[in-house]
Every structure is written in C-alpha cells, then in structure tokens.
C-alpha cells in the first residue's frame, strides 16, 4: 500500500474514532451515565492526540498503546451497558469491537517487540 495513503487512512481512523466516541459521550450524558460519558470523551481526546504531527516515535508508540486500551474499555463498557439495558443484538457488535481492539493491541505489542529485537 502506498505509504501516503496508509498514513491518511490511519489519520482518518483516529479522527473517525474520536468523532464516534464524542457523539457517544454526548448521548451518555443525556442518559445521566456520566462516568461512561467521561470515559468516551477522554478516549475521543486521546484519539485526536494521535493526529498531532510533532510527536516523537516513542511518544507515538506509547500513545497508540493508551488509545488501544481506552478503545477496548469504551467498547466493552458500551457492550455491557447494552447488555444491562436488555438490548438483543447490538451488544455483540460492541463485544466484537472490544475483542478486535484487543487483537490489535496484541499485534501492536508483538510488532514492537520484534522491531526492538532487530535493533538490539
């Protein structure tokens, strides 16, 4: 894949995540679920931080770990919220999203370890 296109897709995905989590947080505020709303707002903010261009590679790696962990927490919390509300099918989508973010985190950790092993 073209590196410029890949970079644009990554930037778009962080922007899209930030937008989705921000809108989700607004809905949760309206429902009085303030803790879940704050988690989504914080996650949206961290996703936006990834759009900053002047981050060092080490900070970018650490930020990516934080974002993946926050995305897992948000997806799982939304899934459980739907579960406790008695929703039938939508909760499975959010459980799947939490699972996929977990897979992405594991892949990211493995890639980082392999690249560090090659350097040393």
């Amino acid at each position: 894949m073209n590196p410029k296109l890949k970079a644009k897709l990554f930037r778009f995905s962080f922007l899209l995540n930030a937008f989705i989590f921000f809108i989700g947080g607004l809905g949760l505020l309206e429902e009085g679920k303030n803790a879940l709303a704050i988690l989504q707002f914080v996650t949206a903010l961290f996703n936006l931080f990834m759009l900053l261009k002047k981050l060092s590679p080490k900070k970018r790696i650490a930020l990516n770990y934080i974002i993946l962990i926050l995305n897992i927490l948000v997806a799982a919390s939304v899934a459980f919220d739907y579960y406790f509300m008695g929703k039938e099918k939508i909760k499975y989508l959010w459980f799947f999203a939490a699972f996929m973010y977990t897979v992405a985190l594991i892949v990211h950790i493995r890639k980082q370890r392999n690249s560090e092993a090659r350097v040393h």
Side-chain angles (χ1 to χ4, degrees):
M1 178 181 278
N2 178 347
K4 286 186 179 183
L5 178 60
K6 188 176 179 179
K8 286 181 181 181
L9 285 174
F10 278 120
R11 292 177 62 77
F12 177 74
S13 70
F14 287 110
L15 185 61
L16 182 62
N17 273 346
F19 178 74
I20 290 169
F21 293 145
F22 179 75
I23 296 299
L26 290 176
L28 289 167
L29 276 180
E30 291 173 359
E31 295 174 20
K33 298 175 181 175
N34 296 338
L36 294 177
I38 290 169
L39 175 62
Q40 289 211 16
F41 290 144
V42 168
T43 304
L45 186 63
F46 272 88
N47 274 275
L48 288 176
F49 286 157
M50 194 58 127
L51 300 177
L52 299 174
K53 292 188 180 206
K54 295 187 178 190
L55 289 175
S56 70
K58 284 187 177 187
K59 286 183 181 178
R60 188 169 295 279
I61 290 168
L63 182 58
N64 201 22
Y65 284 135
I66 292 167
I67 289 170
L68 285 169
I69 291 167
L70 286 171
N71 288 354
I72 292 166
L73 291 173
V74 166
S77 70
V78 170
F80 281 112
D81 188 40
Y82 281 136
Y83 173 79
F84 292 122
M85 288 185 340
K87 301 291 182 180
E88 288 299 317
K89 295 183 177 61
I90 190 74
K91 65 185 173 210
Y92 297 117
L93 176 65
W94 282 100
F95 279 124
F96 180 72
F99 174 74
M100 293 309 294
Y101 280 127
T102 303
V103 169
L105 178 62
I106 292 167
V107 167
H108 188 70
I109 289 169
R110 286 185 177 171
K111 280 185 177 182
Q112 188 61 34
R113 285 183 183 164
N114 287 341
S115 68
E116 288 175 359
R118 281 187 227 132
V119 171
H120 296 298

